[in-house]
Amino acid sequence: MSLATPYALHALSDAEAADVERLLDDAPPDVADAFHTEVQAVRETMAALASATAVEPPPELRDQLLSRIAEEPVPLRRPSQQRRWPRMVLAAAAVAVVGLGALGVGMALRPPTVPSTADQVFAAPDVRTVSGEIPGGGTATVVFSREQGSGVLVMNNVPPPQPGTVYQMWLVDGQGPHSAGTMGPDSVAPSTTAVIPDLGSSRALAFTVEPPGGSTEPTSPVFAELPLS
């Protein structure tokens, strides 16, 4: 099961991925189902993170690319010549990508930055994923790394808390629950992401409904809990 996350992130070589798929073919149905569930959860988490962190490329990029296209003549070639991709075609493809607001192009033009906590979690060798259904609808997924001491929470299609209340997250360890932050009605969307730092020795992430601003300790029953093991 530890290979589910690198498999979902396409971090395995073709040969390694093929080995995993052969093992799945011979695995008991419940093991294969659990593996595919974790793969789906990781990919949904990545999609939600990409959506939440997407940025528009610089507005001058399109003009620069169009100018470059105008400067590059299309070379003539005979049918017998080896097929190549002219720079104009590549530039035009880039303009198409920019027109779609692609994250990759925008980020490629930015200077290198310090990896975010989410980047560090997903790149960690011990990254794990746990997912569960939320009563009332939707799912919650936590991707976490003990090595990094942090996790990323993604909630998909979870209804927002009732007006006048918030969802409060709790990291539960041997000393009891410790607040990991709150989410009010305005901050819960169809796909909601949050970084959970300082996992410490916590063994679970629990959710309660609390008054606005949160509480110092849970004042209502836990309505969902994800094991961090």
Side-chain angles (χ1 to χ4, degrees):
M1 198 62 65
S2 62
L3 292 174
T5 297
Y7 180 87
L9 298 176
H10 305 289
L12 302 178
S13 67
D14 291 344
E16 290 169 335
D19 288 340
V20 169
E21 290 161 2
R22 281 193 292 270
L23 290 172
L24 288 173
D25 289 339
D26 298 330
D30 58 332
V31 173
D33 289 345
F35 183 92
H36 290 304
T37 297
E38 186 161 347
V39 168
Q40 181 179 359
V42 172
R43 289 176 175 169
E44 288 177 351
T45 300
M46 290 300 294
L49 285 172
S51 175
T53 59
V55 296
E56 290 291 334
E60 65 271 14
L61 178 60
R62 183 176 184 277
D63 292 337
Q64 292 173 0
L65 289 172
L66 290 174
S67 176
R68 185 67 178 271
I69 290 172
E71 296 172 0
E72 289 283 348
V74 180
L76 297 176
R77 64 178 179 87
R78 296 177 182 177
S80 60
Q81 286 181 309
Q82 183 180 3
R83 183 173 181 176
R84 297 180 179 177
W85 290 98
R87 280 190 237 174
M88 174 181 172
V89 175
L90 295 177
V95 170
V97 170
V98 172
L100 295 174
L103 171 65
V105 174
M107 294 302 290
L109 296 179
R110 292 170 175 258
T113 57
V114 177
S116 68
T117 299
D119 293 334
Q120 293 172 344
V121 168
F122 277 97
D126 67 333
V127 63
R128 296 287 305 277
T129 304
V130 61
S131 183
E133 295 184 359
I134 300 296
T139 60
T141 299
V142 178
V143 181
F144 66 98
S145 163
R146 290 294 179 183
E147 182 177 296
Q148 296 296 325
S150 301
V152 179
L153 168 68
V154 176
M155 300 195 306
N156 289 314
N157 300 316
V158 174
Q162 295 296 317
T165 66
V166 297
Y167 292 146
Q168 188 159 0
M169 286 72 67
W170 305 90
L171 288 170
V172 184
D173 60 18
Q175 305 301 315
H178 308 275
S179 179
T182 62
M183 292 182 180
D186 294 338
S187 59
V188 177
S191 287
T192 305
T193 63
V195 172
I196 302 179
D198 303 324
L199 291 182
S201 59
S202 57
R203 57 177 183 266
L205 178 69
F207 300 80
T208 63
V209 176
E210 301 295 336
S215 305
T216 56
E217 60 183 31
T219 64
S220 68
V222 170
F223 67 83
E225 184 170 307
L226 298 175
L228 301 178
S229 58

